[in-house]
Amino acid sequence: MGAGVARLVVIGGGAAGMSAASAARRVAPGLDVVVCEAGGFAAYGMCGIPYYLGGVVPEAEDLLAYPPGEFRDKRGIDLRLHTWVSAIDPAAHQVRVAGPAGADGSGPLGYDALVLASGAAPVRPPVPGLDGPRVFTIRSLDEAIGLRQLLDSGTVRRAIVLGAGYVGLEAAEGLAGAGVEVEVVEALPRVLGNVDDPIAAVVQAELERHTRVRLGTRLDEVRDGGGRELTAVVGGVATSTDLVVVAAGVRPASDLLIQVGAEHLPDRSLLVDAQQRTSVPDVFAAGDCAALHHLVLGRPAWIPLGPAANKTGRVAGTVAAGGAASFRGIVGTAVVKVFGLEVARTGLTLAEAEAAGLAARAVDVVSRSRAKYYPGAQPLHVRLVHAPDGRLLGGQLAGREGAAKRIDVLATALHAGMTVADIAGLDLSYAPPFAPVYDPVLAAAIKAAGSVPSTAGGTHEPAAAPR
Amino acid sequence: MGAGVARLVVIGGGAAGMSAASAARRVAPGLDVVVCEAGGFAAYGMCGIPYYLGGVVPEAEDLLAYPPGEFRDKRGIDLRLHTWVSAIDPAAHQVRVAGPAGADGSGPLGYDALVLASGAAPVRPPVPGLDGPRVFTIRSLDEAIGLRQLLDSGTVRRAIVLGAGYVGLEAAEGLAGAGVEVEVVEALPRVLGNVDDPIAAVVQAELERHTRVRLGTRLDEVRDGGGRELTAVVGGVATSTDLVVVAAGVRPASDLLIQVGAEHLPDRSLLVDAQQRTSVPDVFAAGDCAALHHLVLGRPAWIPLGPAANKTGRVAGTVAAGGAASFRGIVGTAVVKVFGLEVARTGLTLAEAEAAGLAARAVDVVSRSRAKYYPGAQPLHVRLVHAPDGRLLGGQLAGREGAAKRIDVLATALHAGMTVADIAGLDLSYAPPFAPVYDPVLAAAIKAAGSVPSTAGGTHEPAAAPR
């Protein structure tokens, strides 16, 4: 690779793909950069779709990072919308392209370097009727525009959201914001599988304030009688609804590359090195189809989220075009707004740590988002997960304010390999409107450090007066 | 020290002193713990005073961390209010105490260990008339109660705040909140000396929206004619005002210990070791009277702020009572609310780094507090200061939301000794309501890393689509 690259083909025009294309263009101005995007939009804010549904974001165009002409006209990127790649031939260095009906450009397309940035695809559980016209997923802007039109038509009074993961919760909030009565149906006995039970309980209480929540319950069938209403069978009981949103998880859209022998994890996410190279020569993978190096686990893990999609796209495009870049890895940081609640996590939950075979302990603290006397202070739930020797393994936060960005202190601590005693010693910011004098993160770390034998233990508890 | 300690005397009932007393009590339940507090309150939130003045905090009692009886009745701490210590005799292990008129307890008081937690005292510049009855400082609750009564009397229409440091700005906000027309007078040509010019300019603009700001101007004299109005001479021009608040900085209240030979910095802050021991045997210092180890400078520095006061008080009390604890140091993290603005800093400003003789560079980025398409996104100004090799030296943030706690990522990075490239690689949280997909801290670090030769440089710029 490198100076000899003449054409880079990118499969997927999302965050990873357009980051790759733009980075490659900067590194190699003379390179032919072709992006094949199956949908009708590129470089849009996929994570904004729930807010577009609820009307918080008024127009679909608001989600576009750049005007449609930006890539073609200003960046010299051959962005082809409505263009599918149906096969990759690594030996011939070709992909097979199917363009829009009647358009040029179908057939084989040669590449010197290929970036697969095809993202993740929604899982549709094997429930009869989930292929009907009033059943939606929250994964593409094309589909979201159809859903929003339906919501705007005023014919949707009730909706079922299948799945209480973070996408399901965001979808529920979006639909509720559009004035729809929402019922969340989740087969597991709890919401938000990527946090531990004590934090999930806080989330569930907030969700129940705004929606009907059916946990440990299955959607058995959806029947479309052809009229405006659907019949959904939930836990064996038939109920009328106007809409079903499926948010039952995603899977890596990696089939094209696995078919030609690319190495992958059991979950079908693609294995890559720090330069985003797959095991297939001259083929890179970036974004939600790739497994990434998890700094806490010390091995690749598949956690499809936006920031890494952007960053790994940039690395893949840079390296594919002959430049130098590398991706350092992830620690599993994520945040979600659930109605009035901010819920954040990083590293490993206790459940994840135990599933990985690690000895781990958790401490929980409920502190406040502001000084006790400052109006508007909200409870802030903090959970720290640490090894017996005090090394931080992860953290979780939930509260009506101050959770979203506070998680980043713990994410940074994970990158640095800090112990809970190290965290207890951090010089964090304080002023009455923004934190108690012992920040909730410090309060949790002090408590955790007290349970680790090698530290000064019980003498670490906060003693007296906030300022 | 240790098991032989029979009596601990603490001078000062603020955050540091009450933390020391409470920690000592936990470590040594049989210890006689006496706290001498010159004022009428102990363990109150001094940083809340500006908010009490403005009515955001309704009652003075709201600022008390604990009910008045808590320390005496529940913790067995002999807390003596209105009690001055006028001298320390290290050879005799005695302090000289002056209690309230007519009360017992005046005279010498022996100690086995002594914690000086006398805090910092406001500087009163040598301006004629600053000792008058309508001239206040923002440093004690006793004085604040008098000021609040005056504000509540409805006779205060205009006020002059002398000093545009963070206490002056908080006082200005408090007074404006009480309906007072505020004029801020500052001798220096800029506001908020603990941030660099680009951030100070953002603060100044916000301050000018709410007050009259007179920079590079001196208060020459205050004349009290005995009526309701004062005459203040500002920059040579006489003007009427109802009130003057002096917020011209503080100095360590360390005289008692310096008189008996304690080692100190030129600014008169007391030198201590990691256990808060001063150079005087069996005498500890904690809180705003002590210099603390600055992890970026690698030497002691005097930065009087609440979190370190609480922490160092706890360490001093623990060690004085025979326990084990140590204070790791500070990085100079601070945050202040200036009307609608959050302003935060950590480490060294460019000016501070240069004053310390360090080679340093600064990069500035204006990003957003939320995804571009999410309503309410506010500009967020980020400045990073780093060494030529990329090591982070400090950071500053200002914005209408998202600055206060984001600084803690940079504070944590300073504790860990990270470079700007390390920061650019952090896995920070993202969701549209809380951040752009490249968090402003990442955007600044990417820009900074691009200026450091050893990194991949220009290939680090954000490329494409936020999610």
Side-chain angles (χ1 to χ4, degrees):
Chain A
M1 295 310 310
V5 177
R7 182 186 292 145
L8 170 69
V9 173
V10 177
I11 304 177
M18 296 318 294
S19 290
S22 299
R25 166 59 63 243
R26 279 198 306 275
V27 170
L31 184 67
D32 183 19
V33 179
V34 181
V35 178
C36 301
E37 164 57 41
F41 300 92
Y44 62 86
M46 193 172 66
C47 301
I49 288 177
Y51 306 101
Y52 164 64
L53 294 180
V56 169
V57 174
E59 304 292 339
E61 289 69 29
D62 296 334
L63 296 180
L64 301 181
Y66 299 98
E70 167 80 14
F71 295 101
R72 214 175 177 94
D73 303 340
K74 294 210 182 147
R75 300 197 187 186
I77 292 169
D78 183 2
L79 170 61
R80 306 182 186 178
L81 299 175
H82 304 293
T83 299
W84 282 86
V85 173
S86 57
I88 299 170
D89 184 343
H93 273 54
Q94 285 183 346
V95 295
R96 178 156 296 277
V97 173
D104 289 344
S106 292
L109 175 67
Y111 65 78
D112 298 280
L114 177 68
V115 174
L116 186 71
S118 44
V123 171
R124 293 212 183 219
V127 174
L130 283 195
D131 51 352
R134 282 183 169 244
V135 179
F136 293 84
T137 64
I138 307 288
R139 194 72 197 178
S140 81
L141 189 51
D142 301 85
E143 192 170 1
I145 289 170
L147 176 50
R148 168 75 181 263
Q149 285 171 346
L150 189 58
L151 292 169
D152 287 348
S153 73
T155 63
V156 179
R157 197 167 60 78
R158 297 152 304 177
I160 287 174
V161 173
L162 180 60
Y166 79 94
V167 174
L169 301 189
E170 288 179 335
E173 183 181 338
L175 292 168
V180 175
E181 283 176 31
V182 178
E183 180 169 340
V184 177
V185 177
E186 167 64 54
L188 296 175
R190 38 157 296 175
V191 304
L192 208 51
N194 70 348
V195 297
D196 285 322
D197 288 346
I199 300 294
V202 176
V203 178
Q204 184 180 334
E206 177 69 3
L207 190 64
E208 287 173 342
R209 275 186 209 107
H210 299 274
T211 70
R212 186 172 181 204
V213 182
R214 306 280 302 273
L215 301 178
T217 305
R218 290 188 178 278
L219 177 65
D220 303 311
E221 187 183 353
V222 176
R223 296 185 210 126
D224 190 342
R228 268 188 32 202
E229 284 192 353
L230 302 172
T231 299
V233 183
V234 177
V237 179
T239 176
S240 288
T241 192
D242 301 313
L243 191 69
V244 173
V245 169
V246 178
V250 294
R251 56 175 181 73
S254 54
D255 292 357
L256 281 181
L257 211 54
I258 289 177
Q259 282 161 9
V260 295
E263 290 177 14
H264 57 90
L265 292 183
D267 59 21
R268 298 180 71 78
S269 58
L270 297 164
L271 286 170
V272 293
D273 66 11
Q275 282 71 46
Q276 302 301 129
R277 291 185 195 93
T278 69
S279 63
V280 179
D282 300 328
V283 180
F284 300 76
D288 292 355
C289 63
L292 300 174
H293 181 64
H294 193 296
L295 294 165
V296 181
L297 288 170
R299 56 174 167 78
W302 183 59
I303 303 178
L305 288 170
N310 279 271
K311 292 175 188 173
T312 58
R314 195 186 64 217
V315 170
T318 299
V319 176
S326 62
F327 183 69
R328 294 185 178 220
I330 57 172
V331 296
T333 313
V335 61
V336 60
K337 178 175 179 290
V338 182
F339 294 92
L341 204 63
E342 304 177 11
V343 189
R345 55 148 285 150
T346 189
L348 306 177
T349 63
L350 184 62
E352 289 166 352
E354 288 171 348
L358 300 173
R361 301 171 183 175
V363 296
D364 295 282
V365 161
V366 182
S367 181
R368 288 179 301 272
S369 61
R370 309 179 182 190
K372 187 170 66 173
Y373 53 77
Y374 198 92
Q378 299 286 343
L380 198 50
H381 299 254
V382 186
R383 161 166 277 221
L384 296 185
V385 178
H386 64 90
D389 66 358
R391 188 171 66 95
L392 185 71
L393 296 174
Q396 298 158 59
L397 283 158
R400 304 190 88 77
E401 68 172 12
K405 282 286 127 183
R406 236 178 211 103
I407 201 70
D408 289 347
V409 173
L410 297 173
T412 306
L414 286 172
H415 278 268
M418 286 185 178
T419 65
V420 288
D422 293 334
I423 296 167
L426 292 175
D427 184 10
L428 302 185
S429 65
Y430 164 64
F434 307 121
V437 71
Y438 281 96
D439 189 272
V441 166
L442 297 182
I446 288 166
K447 182 174 176 184
S451 73
V452 177
S454 60
T455 73
T459 63
H460 275 289
E461 277 172 50
R467 288 203 167 186
Chain B
M1 296 311 309
V5 177
R7 182 187 290 146
L8 170 68
V9 173
V10 177
I11 302 177
M18 297 318 294
S19 291
S22 299
R25 164 60 62 245
R26 280 197 305 275
V27 170
L31 184 67
D32 183 19
V33 178
V34 181
V35 178
C36 301
E37 164 56 42
F41 299 93
Y44 63 84
M46 193 171 66
C47 301
I49 288 177
Y51 306 101
Y52 164 63
L53 294 180
V56 170
V57 175
E59 305 292 339
E61 289 69 30
D62 296 335
L63 295 180
L64 301 181
Y66 298 98
E70 168 80 13
F71 294 102
R72 216 176 174 92
D73 304 340
K74 295 210 182 148
R75 300 197 187 185
I77 292 169
D78 183 2
L79 170 61
R80 306 182 187 179
L81 300 176
H82 303 294
T83 300
W84 282 86
V85 172
S86 56
I88 298 169
D89 183 344
H93 273 54
Q94 285 183 346
V95 295
R96 178 157 296 277
V97 173
D104 289 344
S106 292
L109 176 67
Y111 66 78
D112 297 282
L114 177 68
V115 175
L116 186 71
S118 43
V123 171
R124 294 214 182 217
V127 173
L130 283 194
D131 51 354
R134 281 184 169 242
V135 180
F136 293 84
T137 65
I138 307 288
R139 194 73 197 177
S140 82
L141 190 51
D142 301 84
E143 193 170 359
I145 288 171
L147 175 50
R148 169 75 180 263
Q149 284 171 346
L150 188 59
L151 292 168
D152 287 348
S153 72
T155 63
V156 178
R157 197 167 61 79
R158 298 152 304 178
I160 287 175
V161 172
L162 179 60
Y166 78 93
V167 174
L169 301 189
E170 287 178 336
E173 183 181 336
L175 292 168
V180 176
E181 282 176 31
V182 178
E183 181 168 340
V184 177
V185 177
E186 167 64 55
L188 296 175
R190 38 158 296 176
V191 304
L192 209 52
N194 70 349
V195 298
D196 284 324
D197 288 347
I199 301 294
V202 177
V203 177
Q204 182 180 334
E206 176 70 2
L207 190 64
E208 286 173 341
R209 275 185 209 109
H210 299 274
T211 69
R212 185 171 181 206
V213 182
R214 306 280 302 274
L215 301 177
T217 306
R218 291 188 179 276
L219 178 65
D220 303 309
E221 187 182 355
V222 176
R223 295 186 211 127
D224 190 342
R228 269 187 33 201
E229 283 191 355
L230 302 171
T231 300
V233 183
V234 177
V237 178
T239 176
S240 288
T241 192
D242 302 312
L243 191 69
V244 173
V245 170
V246 178
V250 293
R251 55 175 183 75
S254 55
D255 292 357
L256 282 181
L257 211 54
I258 290 178
Q259 282 161 9
V260 296
E263 289 178 15
H264 58 89
L265 292 183
D267 60 20
R268 298 180 69 80
S269 59
L270 297 164
L271 286 169
V272 294
D273 65 13
Q275 282 71 45
Q276 302 301 128
R277 291 185 196 95
T278 69
S279 63
V280 178
D282 301 329
V283 180
F284 300 76
D288 291 355
C289 62
L292 300 174
H293 182 64
H294 194 296
L295 294 164
V296 181
L297 288 171
R299 56 174 167 78
W302 183 59
I303 303 177
L305 287 170
N310 279 271
K311 293 175 187 171
T312 58
R314 196 186 64 218
V315 169
T318 299
V319 176
S326 61
F327 183 69
R328 294 184 177 220
I330 56 173
V331 296
T333 313
V335 60
V336 59
K337 177 175 180 291
V338 182
F339 293 93
L341 204 62
E342 304 177 10
V343 189
R345 54 148 286 152
T346 190
L348 306 177
T349 63
L350 184 62
E352 289 166 351
E354 288 171 347
L358 300 173
R361 300 171 183 174
V363 296
D364 294 282
V365 162
V366 182
S367 181
R368 288 179 301 271
S369 61
R370 310 178 182 191
K372 186 170 68 173
Y373 52 78
Y374 198 91
Q378 299 286 344
L380 198 51
H381 300 254
V382 186
R383 162 167 277 221
L384 297 184
V385 178
H386 64 91
D389 66 357
R391 188 171 66 96
L392 184 71
L393 296 175
Q396 297 158 60
L397 283 159
R400 305 191 87 77
E401 68 173 11
K405 283 286 126 182
R406 236 179 210 103
I407 200 71
D408 289 347
V409 173
L410 297 173
T412 306
L414 286 173
H415 278 268
M418 287 184 177
T419 65
V420 289
D422 294 332
I423 296 168
L426 292 175
D427 184 11
L428 302 185
S429 66
Y430 165 63
F434 307 121
V437 72
Y438 282 97
D439 189 273
V441 166
L442 297 181
I446 288 166
K447 182 174 176 184
S451 73
V452 177
S454 59
T455 72
T459 63
H460 275 289
E461 278 171 49
R467 286 204 168 187

